[in-house]
Amino acid sequence: MKKQLAFSLHSAVAIAALITAGCATNNAPLISLPPLPAPPAPPAPPAPPAPSAFDTPEFRSNVGLSEINALPAYDRGLSGAGEIVAVIDTGIDPMHIDLDDNLHPQSHDVSVSRTQSGLRGPSDHGTKVAGIIAAEKNNVGMHGVAFGAEILALRADAPGSCQAGSCTIKTDEFVAGIDAAIAAGARVLNLSFPVLDAPPGQTPTPGNVFLPPEMEAALRRAIANDILIVAAAGNNAPGRIPQPFIAQIGLEANISGQILLVGAADRNGNLFAGSSIGDTARDIYLVAPSEVLTTVFDDQFAQTDFGTSFSAPHVAGAAALLFELFPNLTAKEVGQILLNTARDRGAAGVDDIFGHGMLDLAAAIQPIGNLSINLSAAQSADPILLAQTMIAGSAPFGDSFSGGFSDVNIVAADAFNRFYSADIGAAITRPTAPSLAVDQILNSAFRNYDSGLALGKHTYASFYWEVGEPYTHDRPSWRHLQTGDTPYSDASLRAVLSTKLSQNIDAHTGFGFSPLSIIDGAGVGGDIFLISGGHRRDGFHEMASTINSVAIRKRGANNLRYGAAFSMGGIQGRDATPFGARIEESEMFSLLAFARKNTANANLEASIGMVRESDSLLGARSSGALNLGRGADTIYARVGAQFALPKGVSLFAQASGGATHMRGVSESLVQGASAISSFTFSARADKSGVIADSDHLTFAISQPLRVESGTLELNIPVSTALGHSSVVFQDRSFGLTPTGRQIDIEIGYSFRTKWGYSLGVNALHRLDPGHMADATASDAVIFSIQHRR
């Protein structure tokens, strides 16, 4: 039995019908516009960028914009440009400085009986509504939600009906306005007046509604023409129920989402006391701000009062921004998105008061549901979830996957088939750069125990186990190994059974050893060379975390030995990405044929092997849209030589090189890979009797298995086309060679005293750990004391 004690000094990183329209207004004073500013002076040097270039006084003047979280939409460049929002109302002031440039040329008075036609009527209700939707961003006053959209102003107040702040819109004007919106190609229709009525003396309810058939037919025409209808829920309605007729149509299964009813929220986000509630229309109901600075007549601005008339245009403007960003969406989809992304208010979930909650534009432009990736422009295969997509890199590839895919964005679709840019590099798990963590070195080099049992004259069983917890003087028991109790929860057991079948044939079966270890007899311990774990390491087989091997050796004439080994194991682990993808394990099978020739002063060896991986590529695992194929086959050759020279000097060198071919891929962005070459080597020089007869000096240098060449071919979705309804793909090649080359250098010296103690010191240096050029080199010095008895 041997006892060992080690401690270290280390540096760097050693240890990482009759329709009444009206709304309440207050008596806030009008604000006159200032004179136009003089031409600006030459700009000063730019100041550090603000958190958002759109967080301006003009933005802050319209408090509703912050309440609906509009800044993220503006930061994405959205303004509503190219979108048409129809406003059937009391007309607008066409000369208003905040509306004149955003007025659609087909805006007009839809009344056929008015003697003096014109866009500007006696009420500024329509001007206020239009300003909330699309007041211009011109550094004057405030700006609207969709400040780049066009307002199709359709004046529909009945001639002579505007009295005491209220106006009446009759059926003929309403129908004409609907048809004008359809003809102009409007995507959104804002109705900031109640569309309900009932026979005299009766209370309007969803089942007791009187409405001329002409009006219903007009609304259904708008729906058939893919127009999103945004209607004010109404103020002070009997029973505070929302507009029954609108709700009755909007709740139809094939329409649900294409009509939205909007209630009014006060400055604190609570429901305005006069606003209609969600009630039976809760499934198509949400709330929006109502107390905002907006446009009134003669280039002026005023503070409006509460009322759903001013809440609905916030939703209409938000819808215009969504249509701009995602022109492939239908009106029903836009409405469903605005409902689904509203901030929950009141009782949890959709409730009778707030319906879906408060309009949230920031959430509306974000993906809904899991993102998925189309695999081809033809979309011949089903999309694959981004959350199922991943590559877990392996040591031979170093940082090639993470580096190659850095800053590579692909197009992915959400549950509404809206396309977003996704950083595919986030689906790559980069291996940890192996620094010289001294505790791990000591675990593998010193904290181990071995024992053996002779089963017969030619049969022997040996056991070897190691523990990864802090070193103690107690030996691990079988109970610890079986249950994993502390302090040996990281204990691992290895075993080998060897027997002689005949005079010249040996057979070995091992658990936890690589084929080369079994061929060598599975000897353990006593190697002064610490960081490479012995001169017979084989990187091709060490990719598997557990190897079960069977080997047979035959002795031939002239000190020739040859044989074969078979092994099977698995690449374990549960890596995860920010998208949530996880990969289980891959199976590995290998076959190795070898030959060795021993002479008086030299040992020569050569082997050829094959490694077959079921679900990995040189240990790198994958899933989803980055599936690397159905496994890989590697053929490799290994040569080595050891020479005994005079004066106690010995030299050893070995090198292995392999070629890996990825088996066919399907349902993946990966189209294939070129042949991948890889290489590993180690060399060592030993000198005994340097100072005394019992000392030993070792110098070693090695490189773990590293990919030397190879490319991965992908066809990836990079942009959208045809109104964002299809995806453009591009062929891309990614190199698989890592940026760095890990080199391990070690010098070791030991001597044995006459009292049975061996004292040793090892100096270690690791360059480019993990084959990563950006990884910090590490160094360590380890002192050891061993005693044998």
Side-chain angles (χ1 to χ4, degrees):
M1 178 180 129
K2 62 181 178 181
K3 292 184 178 178
Q4 300 168 331
L5 173 65
F7 60 96
S8 66
L9 302 175
H10 55 89
S11 62
V13 191
I15 310 278
L18 183 65
I19 305 169
T20 301
C23 73
T25 61
N26 65 11
N27 297 319
L30 298 181
I31 303 174
S32 300
L33 291 177
L36 292 176
S52 172
F54 292 90
D55 188 7
T56 63
E58 190 178 12
F59 169 87
R60 292 187 289 272
S61 292
N62 186 351
V63 294
L65 297 178
S66 60
E67 291 173 2
I68 66 171
N69 282 337
L71 271 183
Y74 301 148
D75 288 337
R76 291 195 61 170
L78 300 181
S79 67
E83 303 303 323
I84 302 172
V85 181
V87 177
I88 299 179
D89 214 291
T90 63
I92 69 170
D93 179 358
M95 303 302 293
H96 199 290
I97 192 172
D98 251 2
L99 297 174
D100 52 358
D101 287 343
N102 285 350
L103 189 61
H104 191 277
Q106 294 183 34
S107 300
H108 65 284
D109 184 351
V110 298
S111 174
V112 295
S113 60
R114 200 182 318 275
T115 56
Q116 293 182 344
S117 180
L119 274 180
R120 179 170 175 170
S123 170
D124 61 5
H125 185 273
T127 299
K128 293 179 179 181
V129 169
I132 296 171
I133 296 173
E136 301 162 21
K137 190 177 187 302
N138 55 7
N139 297 317
V140 176
M142 47 76 75
H143 69 71
V145 178
F147 55 82
E150 287 187 291
I151 292 292
L152 177 66
L154 301 169
R155 181 184 174 189
D157 56 289
S161 67
C162 293
Q163 302 293 330
S166 296
C167 300
T168 300
I169 296 178
K170 295 185 177 180
T171 301
D172 289 345
E173 283 81 7
F174 180 82
V175 171
I178 292 283
D179 290 336
I182 295 172
R187 300 296 306 275
V188 185
L189 172 61
N190 187 91
L191 303 177
S192 280
F193 51 83
V195 184
L196 58 88
D197 200 8
Q202 297 188 25
T203 300
T205 66
N208 180 26
V209 176
F210 173 79
L211 201 78
E214 298 91 342
M215 180 174 290
E216 178 178 352
L219 284 169
R220 293 190 182 276
R221 285 197 299 275
I223 292 169
N225 281 273
D226 199 32
I227 295 177
L228 177 67
I229 299 172
V230 180
N235 303 327
N236 300 311
R240 297 186 68 190
I241 62 174
Q243 300 194 46
F245 177 72
I246 287 289
Q248 189 170 321
I249 297 179
L251 289 171
E252 294 178 10
N254 63 324
I255 294 175
S256 182
Q258 197 168 343
I259 292 179
L260 302 179
L261 290 181
V262 186
D266 63 22
R267 189 62 55 78
N268 297 318
N270 300 315
L271 196 70
F272 164 50
S275 172
S276 294
I277 60 177
D279 196 61
T280 55
R282 59 185 174 272
D283 290 336
I284 59 172
Y285 180 98
L286 73 165
V287 299
S290 66
E291 189 179 13
V292 293
L293 183 70
T294 190
T295 49
V296 293
F297 286 155
D298 301 323
D299 289 352
Q300 296 179 353
F301 298 84
Q303 191 78 15
T304 70
D305 204 344
F306 291 98
T308 59
S309 287
F310 308 128
S311 301
H314 284 85
V315 177
L321 297 182
L322 282 180
F323 277 122
E324 177 193 9
L325 183 59
F326 305 107
N328 59 309
L329 293 178
T330 65
K332 183 176 180 179
E333 289 172 333
V334 168
Q336 289 172 334
I337 289 168
L338 291 173
L339 291 171
N340 291 349
T341 57
R343 292 196 304 278
D344 194 23
R345 302 289 298 174
V350 181
D351 64 82
D352 289 346
I353 304 299
F354 288 90
H356 285 260
M358 180 71 162
L359 173 66
D360 191 334
L361 188 49
I365 65 176
Q366 293 301 311
I368 296 176
N370 292 319
L371 288 176
S372 60
I373 305 171
N374 290 324
L375 299 180
S376 67
Q379 298 186 18
S380 56
D382 292 335
I384 293 180
L385 293 180
L386 181 60
Q388 297 174 345
T389 297
M390 179 178 179
I391 293 179
S394 61
F397 289 102
D399 58 1
S400 61
F401 284 115
S402 57
F405 285 94
S406 63
D407 301 323
V408 175
N409 292 326
I410 64 170
V411 173
D414 74 346
F416 284 87
N417 203 34
R418 297 184 294 173
F419 294 113
Y420 292 86
S421 178
D423 177 12
I424 197 64
I428 309 299
T429 298
R430 170 174 167 166
T432 301
S435 63
L436 287 172
V438 177
D439 56 342
Q440 296 177 8
I441 296 173
L442 299 182
N443 285 343
S444 61
F446 295 115
R447 299 175 194 173
N448 57 67
Y449 306 89
D450 58 89
S451 60
L453 178 65
L455 303 178
K457 183 177 180 180
H458 299 296
T459 303
Y460 190 81
S462 60
F463 303 94
Y464 164 69
W465 62 89
E466 61 183 10
V467 293
E469 292 294 329
Y471 184 82
T472 70
H473 66 278
D474 296 324
R475 294 174 63 92
S477 67
W478 282 106
R479 182 180 67 82
H480 287 135
L481 293 174
Q482 291 171 340
T483 65
D485 292 343
T486 55
Y488 304 108
S489 58
D490 292 336
S492 61
L493 173 67
R494 299 181 179 186
V496 63
L497 177 68
S498 60
T499 186
K500 184 172 289 188
L501 301 179
S502 67
Q503 182 70 22
N504 295 320
I505 300 178
D506 299 326
H508 301 267
T509 300
F511 171 79
F513 289 100
S514 70
L516 286 177
S517 298
I518 296 299
I519 293 169
D520 290 338
V524 297
D527 195 340
I528 194 175
F529 190 41
L530 297 180
I531 57 177
S532 280
H535 65 279
R536 295 199 184 279
R537 282 186 73 172
D538 180 4
F540 290 98
H541 296 279
E542 288 179 346
M543 291 181 294
S545 59
T546 301
I547 293 289
N548 307 313
S549 302
V550 177
I552 188 168
R553 301 185 305 190
K554 180 175 176 58
R555 298 177 182 177
N558 300 319
N559 292 320
L560 177 66
R561 296 187 181 189
Y562 53 92
F566 172 79
S567 67
M568 58 186 295
I571 302 169
Q572 299 179 348
R574 291 178 60 86
D575 301 277
T577 70
F579 302 123
R582 291 184 179 272
I583 305 176
E584 299 298 332
E585 64 178 54
S586 169
E587 294 180 340
M588 176 184 290
F589 305 90
S590 65
L591 184 64
L592 174 66
F594 64 91
R596 290 181 180 166
K597 173 71 174 179
N598 297 337
T599 66
N601 298 315
N603 296 324
L604 306 176
E605 60 180 75
S607 59
I608 184 169
M610 182 193 74
V611 177
R612 185 174 180 86
E613 302 168 75
S614 63
D615 293 293
S616 57
L617 177 68
L618 282 180
R621 292 160 297 138
S622 60
S623 67
L626 290 178
N627 183 6
L628 294 175
R630 295 187 294 271
D633 298 310
T634 299
I635 302 295
Y636 77 95
R638 182 175 185 269
V639 294
Q642 187 170 10
F643 301 95
L645 303 178
K647 299 183 179 181
V649 176
S650 64
L651 302 176
F652 171 82
Q654 72 85 21
S656 301
T660 302
H661 295 269
M662 185 174 69
R663 293 199 291 275
V665 295
S666 62
E667 297 185 355
S668 174
L669 299 176
V670 179
Q671 305 297 297
S674 65
I676 301 169
S677 65
S678 51
F679 180 72
T680 178
F681 77 88
S682 63
R684 174 176 176 173
D686 297 292
K687 174 70 169 70
S688 299
V690 178
I691 300 174
D693 291 341
S694 59
D695 68 357
H696 191 88
L697 179 67
T698 297
F699 172 80
I701 183 171
S702 65
Q703 174 199 290
L705 186 63
R706 177 184 186 269
V707 170
E708 301 295 333
S709 66
T711 57
L712 198 63
E713 306 296 333
L714 285 85
N715 186 238
I716 60 176
V718 295
S719 62
T720 59
L722 300 176
H724 296 265
S725 60
S726 64
V727 180
V728 176
F729 281 72
Q730 183 181 85
D731 291 329
R732 297 281 297 272
S733 296
F734 297 93
L736 296 176
T737 306
T739 59
R741 183 182 300 274
Q742 179 178 324
I743 298 294
D744 292 334
I745 301 173
E746 180 174 2
I747 300 176
Y749 177 78
S750 68
F751 68 93
R752 186 167 185 175
T753 70
K754 61 181 180 179
W755 300 283
Y757 288 94
S758 292
L759 306 179
V761 58
N762 290 69
L764 311 104
H765 176 73
R766 174 164 289 166
L767 178 67
D768 291 354
H771 305 309
M772 303 176 190
D774 61 354
T776 303
S778 55
D779 307 271
V781 177
I782 297 178
F783 298 89
S784 62
I785 303 175
Q786 301 184 39
H787 182 255
R788 293 182 180 272
R789 64 177 181 177

